[in-house]
Structure formats: C-alpha cells, structure tokens
Amino acid sequence: MDLFKGIKKLEPRVDFTWKRHKVILSNIANADTPNYKAKDLEFKEEVDRISLKTTNPKHIKPISNEGFRVVNVNRGLVGNDRNNVSVEEEMAKLTQNRLAYEVYMKMISGNIDKLNNVIRGGRR
C-alpha cells in the first residue's frame, strides 16, 4: 500500500503548472519584442495523442523526459512588429494556471492532513 499515491499522482500536474507559469511570464515579458511568437506548454500525453512531426529544423523539440513540451501558439499577429503575444490572453491564461496550481496544492495538503490524522490515531 502506497500512502503517498494521491500525492504522487498530483506531482506532474503541479510541476506542469509551475513550468507553464514560467512560459506565460516569458510571453508577457516579450510582448514588445519584434518577431516574438507566443509559446505554451502541453502535456506529453496530449502531444503523443496528436503525434506531431517536425518538418523543419527550426521547430521546437520536446523537452526531454519531463512529460510536457513547449509549443508555439498559432494566433494572428497582434502588432505591426510581427509579434503575436496578446497580453490580455496571457493574463487570462496566467489566472487560469494559478487557480489550477492552487487546487492541486489544496488537494496535496488535504492528503497530508489525512495522513497526519491517521498517524495521530484520529485524535487532535
């Protein structure tokens, strides 16, 4: 019996939201950089389902052994400088990602509380 099974299941999700947060912040930081293309992070299981092929050496390669990869966001150009970052969309994604992170952390915290309760024999 694995006491930490619930926590281990959530670890990749927490890691994903943490790294996606960095990618979104990078997009916002480069909102005024000419020719910058917005990026996002995808779970590898989703990437494997789609089975994308790289046909150009400039295509972004998957991040090795992490279960997710960085992909370019396909959206129309926002500015005249060939940059496709929409600060409003990135802020919305940032909020959504933060909420997901908080939910996962509350679930982990709840699992730890249950374990503490079992260790104490249900007494407080």
Side-chain angles (χ1 to χ4, degrees):
M1 179 177 176
D2 188 1
L3 296 176
F4 300 102
K5 184 179 176 185
I7 295 171
K8 286 179 183 174
K9 276 184 167 181
L10 293 169
E11 269 182 48
R13 304 276 179 197
V14 171
D15 198 28
F16 173 77
T17 54
W18 175 251
K19 292 187 178 178
R20 188 172 187 227
H21 183 82
K22 290 181 182 177
V23 171
I24 295 168
L25 288 180
S26 175
N27 287 340
I28 293 171
N30 287 295
D32 293 330
T33 304
N35 297 318
Y36 181 83
K37 303 298 179 223
K39 296 172 179 49
D40 204 350
L41 208 61
E42 288 184 347
F43 256 108
K44 188 175 187 317
E45 58 195 31
E46 185 68 21
V47 173
D48 285 346
R49 188 178 62 80
I50 297 170
S51 72
L52 297 174
K53 293 180 183 176
T54 55
T55 56
N56 186 322
K58 292 181 180 178
H59 288 169
I60 296 174
K61 304 268 186 293
I63 298 170
S64 63
N65 300 328
E66 290 192 314
F68 30 81
R69 71 177 209 162
V70 176
V71 295
N72 284 331
V73 174
N74 292 324
R75 85 169 62 114
L77 300 176
V78 173
N80 292 332
D81 57 357
R82 305 188 55 79
N83 181 320
N84 73 347
V85 175
S86 166
V87 175
E88 293 82 13
E89 282 188 38
E90 298 301 324
M91 293 302 290
K93 286 194 312 190
L94 193 65
T95 301
Q96 180 187 27
N97 195 55
R98 182 182 56 83
L99 290 173
Y101 180 83
E102 287 177 7
V103 167
Y104 297 140
M105 293 307 292
K106 282 188 179 190
M107 292 170 74
I108 288 173
S109 178
N111 282 336
I112 291 172
D113 287 345
K114 287 178 189 172
L115 286 173
N116 280 334
N117 194 26
V118 168
I119 290 169
R120 285 190 223 122
R123 290 176 265 148
R124 288 222 164 211

